[in-house]
Amino acid sequence: VITSPVPQTPAPVITSASSARVAIGVAFSHQVVASNSPDSYEATGLPAGISIDTATGLISGATSTMLTAGVYPVTVKATNAGGSATQVLSLDIKSAYAAWAQDRQIEDINTMSLADPDGDGLGNLIEYAFDRSPSSAESSPIAEVNVVTAADGTPCLEITFDRPANRPDLIYTVEVSSDMKNWSLGHSYGAHVVNSSGLATQEIAPPVELQSGAERIRVRDIGGSGSQRFIRVKVTSL
């Protein structure tokens, strides 16, 4: 009797990149690629909010906005009948602003937030906040302010601005004033923001989602009257 050996299934070999960048609070995906048709995948050491699909090897999700930046080593494993292969995947986790700055070759975000390399009057942090280019001067305003008539017939200020998607590290706060020295708190927008009652502004309508993924915000000053009123949107980092 002549028998033939049963062909041995070769173990997988992981060929996908061994490093990836993650922006805190922003949707992320990384496909684990391996030869020899793995049956399953595993990953240990993933930060909270990111998980692996054990059938396809797709790592995806969004981290908590409270995650600390740094390099996180993740052990990835691909398995079939012939064995397993592992790889250390280094996740370079940065704030969303730091990732944006890196893409635009802004080297030191700590000292460059107020810098205005394109000379359009907007510092790098504001360019980021309103989805502008830090290297190409733009003349269009970041917000539109109009005088409107309230239901009781009194004039008041109304501000409209677009808050881009994927800015989980920023808070946008509308403020009003009668002297540009003392500012009253209005509505705020951002991750985990809950607006209380008694604010000096009124939302004319809930934020409207735009095709770009941004949301359009429209807020009216109701905090006072007088010969002059001022309204602004203030941007702060978490």
Side-chain angles (χ1 to χ4, degrees):
V1 177
I2 299 174
T3 59
S4 299
V6 177
Q8 182 71 28
T9 301
V13 176
I14 297 175
T15 58
S16 48
S18 61
S19 64
R21 193 186 68 190
V22 180
I24 295 174
V26 176
F28 164 79
S29 66
H30 172 81
Q31 179 64 58
V32 179
V33 178
S35 62
N36 301 321
S37 303
D39 301 316
S40 63
Y41 298 85
E42 299 175 40
T44 56
L46 288 170
I50 296 179
S51 60
I52 187 169
D53 186 319
T54 57
T56 67
L58 179 65
I59 298 173
S60 62
T63 68
S64 164
T65 55
M66 304 305 292
L67 186 69
T68 302
V71 177
Y72 288 64
V74 175
T75 301
V76 176
K77 184 177 181 180
T79 301
N80 66 10
S84 299
T86 60
Q87 177 195 64
V88 176
L89 172 65
S90 295
L91 296 184
D92 183 11
I93 296 183
K94 299 178 178 292
S95 72
Y97 174 52
W100 175 89
Q102 184 181 55
D103 287 342
R104 288 151 183 82
Q105 300 181 336
I106 299 172
E107 296 181 359
D108 187 347
I109 64 169
N110 295 316
T111 60
M112 292 294 287
S113 293
L114 298 177
D116 180 19
D118 58 10
D120 62 2
L122 302 177
N124 287 325
L125 183 63
I126 298 301
E127 301 268 20
Y128 165 69
F130 292 97
D131 203 20
R132 302 297 186 95
S133 168
S135 58
S136 178
E138 297 166 278
S139 59
S140 58
I142 61 174
E144 179 182 336
V145 176
N146 294 297
V147 178
V148 298
T149 302
D152 62 2
T154 59
C156 56
L157 292 177
E158 198 172 274
I159 190 170
T160 303
F161 63 94
D162 294 345
R163 187 171 80 93
N166 295 335
R167 300 297 189 269
D169 47 349
L170 298 181
I171 301 295
Y172 300 71
T173 303
V174 178
E175 297 180 330
V176 294
S177 174
S178 59
D179 58 10
M180 294 191 71
K181 295 179 181 178
N182 302 296
W183 292 89
S184 298
L185 182 67
H187 282 73
S188 294
Y189 301 87
H192 313 301
V193 168
V194 177
N195 286 297
S196 62
S197 60
L199 297 173
T201 58
Q202 172 192 5
E203 277 189 329
I204 302 307
V208 176
E209 185 172 349
L210 305 178
Q211 189 173 7
S212 64
E215 61 178 12
R216 180 155 294 163
I217 294 166
R218 185 179 168 206
V219 174
R220 181 176 295 177
D221 173 21
I222 59 168
S225 59
S227 59
Q228 59 181 10
R229 295 290 290 173
F230 304 92
I231 191 168
R232 71 182 184 184
V233 56
K234 182 180 179 180
V235 176
T236 53
S237 300
L238 290 175

